[in-house]
C-alpha cells in the first residue's frame, strides 16, 4: 500500500477517483487537527499540568478530569471554526450547541474516552460521530439511528496516536508521525477476524450480569474441555477506544452489557457518543454489534445522553451472544 496522508485519502478514499464530499473532508481534517492537539497535551501529561480532576461533574454525574474539559473545548472550538457543523453535542455537555445554522453536518463526540486511565498512563482516546444535519431544535436533529452516520471514528492516544475512520465504505487507519504531525495511512479495509479466542468484559461485575451474558462467559472460561473446545484469553483496558482498537486489530469480543447494579439503566456506555460510532466501525469491518435485542445501529435514539448495553466484535461471538439472548 502506498503511504497516503489523511488529506490524500479524503481526496480519493476508495481509490476509484471519487473524493469524499468536500464538507465532510473539511470536517474530518479539522477533527484530526484537534486530535493532534489533544495527543500533544496527553503526551505531556504532568509537564503540561493537565492531569487530575477538574473538581466538576458532567451531565451524567461523573467526575470530570481537566483533560475531559480541555479536549471538549478544543473540539467545540474546531467545530465552530470548520464552518461545516450545524450543531454539536458532547458527552460532557448537557445540551447540544448550535454552531453554524444551515451547515451540512451534526457532530457528536466523547472528547476523552477512558479518562480514568489518564493518570496511570494507559491508552485513552477521542470518539466522534458525524450525522447529516436535520430539521429541528436542540437535541431533536441528533436523534437519528446510527445507520444514518455519514462518518465515524476514533483517535487512540497510546504508544502511537492512531486515527481509525469509516466513511461508510470500509475502515482505514492513520498513524500520526510525530516529527511532522501528519496522519499517514497505515491500514486499509480493516476486517475483524470472524473467529476469536479473546473476550473483554469487566469481570468484577460478574455477579450482576444477566443470565445470557453469564452463560456465554462461563463457556469461554470452561476452555478446551468445555462446549467451545478452546481456551480463551481475557483483556480489559477500561478505555473503550483501546479495547475496540484491539478488537479491530486482532479480533475479539467487547462487552459492556446491562447488569443488575442499576437495573433501570440500560447500560453504562452512551449510544450517541460511544456505541453508535464504534458499531459503524465494527460493522464496516465485517463484525457485529448488538445490545441484547437489536443491532445497535438500528436503535431509534430517544435522548442525547441515552445509555445502551453493548456487545460487539468478531461475528461468530456476537452471533453466539445473540442466540443466548434469544433464549
Ligand atoms: P469515559 O471515560 O468516557 O467516561 O468512558 C469510560 C468507559 C469506557 O471507556 C470503558 O469501556 C468503561 O467506561 C470502563 O468502565 P469500568 O471502569 O466500569 O470497567
Ligand atoms: Mn467514554
Ligand atoms: Mn469521556
Amino acid at each position: 500500500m502506498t503511504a497516503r496522508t489523511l488529506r490524500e485519502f479524503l481526496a480519493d478514499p476508495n481509490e476509484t477517483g471519487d473524493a469524499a464530499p468536500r464538507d465532510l473532508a473539511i470536517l474530518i481534517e479539522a477533527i484530526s487537527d484537534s486530535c493532534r492537539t489533544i495527543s500533544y497535551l496527553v503526551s505531556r501529561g504532568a509537564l503540561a499540568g493537565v492531569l487530575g480532576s477538574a473538581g466538576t461533574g458532567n451531565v451524567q454525574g461523573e467526575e470530570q478530569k481537566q483533560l475531559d474539559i480541555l479536549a471538549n473545548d478544543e473540539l467545540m472550538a474546531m467545530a465552530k471554526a470548520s464552518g461545516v457543523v450545524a450543531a454539536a453535542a458532547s458527552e460532557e455537555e448537557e445540551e447540544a450547541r448550535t454552531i453554524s445554522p444551515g451547515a451540512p453536518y451534526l457532530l457528536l463526540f466523547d472528547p476523552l474516552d477512558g479518562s480514568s486511565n489518564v493518570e496511570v498512563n494507559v491508552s485513552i482516546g477521542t470518539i466522534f460521530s458525524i450525522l447529516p444535519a436535520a430539521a429541528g431544535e436542540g437535541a431533536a436533529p441528533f436523534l437519528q439511528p446510527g445507520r444514518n452516520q455519514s462518518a465515524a471514528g476514533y483517535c487512540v492516544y497510546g504508544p502511537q496516536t492512531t486515527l481509525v475512520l469509516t466513511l461508510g465504505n470500509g475502515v482505514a487507519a492513520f498513524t500520526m508521525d510525530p516529527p511532522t504531525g501528519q496522519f499517514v495511512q497505515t491500514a486499509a479495509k480493516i476486517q475483524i477476524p470472524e473467529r476469536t479466542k479473546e473476550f473483554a468484559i469487566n469481570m468484577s461485575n460478574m455477579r450482576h450480569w444477566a443470565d445470557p451474558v453469564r452463560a456465554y462467559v462461563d463457556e469461554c472460561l470452561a476452555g478446551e474441555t468445555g462446549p467451545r473446545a478452546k481456551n480463551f484469553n481475557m483483556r480489559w483496558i477500561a478505555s473503550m477506544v483501546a479495547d475496540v482498537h484491539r478488537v479491530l486489530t486482532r479480533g475479539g469480543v467487547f462487552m459492556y452489557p446491562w447488569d443488575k447494579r442499576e437495573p433501570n439503566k440500560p447500560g453504562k456506555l452512551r449510544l450517541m457518543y460511544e456505541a453508535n460510532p464504534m458499531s459503524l466501525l465494527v460493522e464496516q469491518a465485517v463484525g457485529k454489534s448488538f445490545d441484547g435485542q437489536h443491532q445497535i445501529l438500528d436503535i431509534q435514539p430517544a435522548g442525547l445522553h441515552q445509555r445502551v448495553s453493548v456487545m460487539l466484535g468478531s461475528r461468530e461471538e456476537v452471533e453466539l451472544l445473540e442466540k443466548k439472548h434469544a433464549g
Side-chain angles (χ1 to χ4, degrees), residues 91 110 112-115 202 236 238-240 256 268 270 274:
E91 178 188 285
D110 175 354
L112 207 64
D113 173 70
S115 47
N202 185 335
W236 186 251
S239 290
M240 188 192 199
Y256 209 122
K268 175 178 182 185
R270 280 130 301 208
E274 295 171 317

Side-chain angles (χ1 to χ4, degrees), residues 199-217 236 240 253-263 265-270 275 290-293 296 307-312 321 325:
F199 68 95
I201 191 165
N202 185 335
M203 295 287 286
S204 69
N205 298 323
M206 188 180 236
R207 68 191 181 286
H208 305 295
W209 294 340
D211 292 344
V213 173
R214 186 157 194 139
Y216 169 81
V217 175
W236 186 251
M240 188 192 199
V253 58
F254 167 89
M255 293 165 278
Y256 209 122
W258 171 90
D259 67 44
K260 292 179 204 137
R261 279 174 298 170
E262 290 178 87
K265 237 190 196 177
K268 175 178 182 185
L269 299 177
R270 280 130 301 208
F290 175 64
D291 77 341
Q293 280 174 295
I296 286 181
R307 312 252 182 175
V308 67
S309 176
V310 176
M311 291 163 254
L312 58 77
L321 279 158
H325 281 82

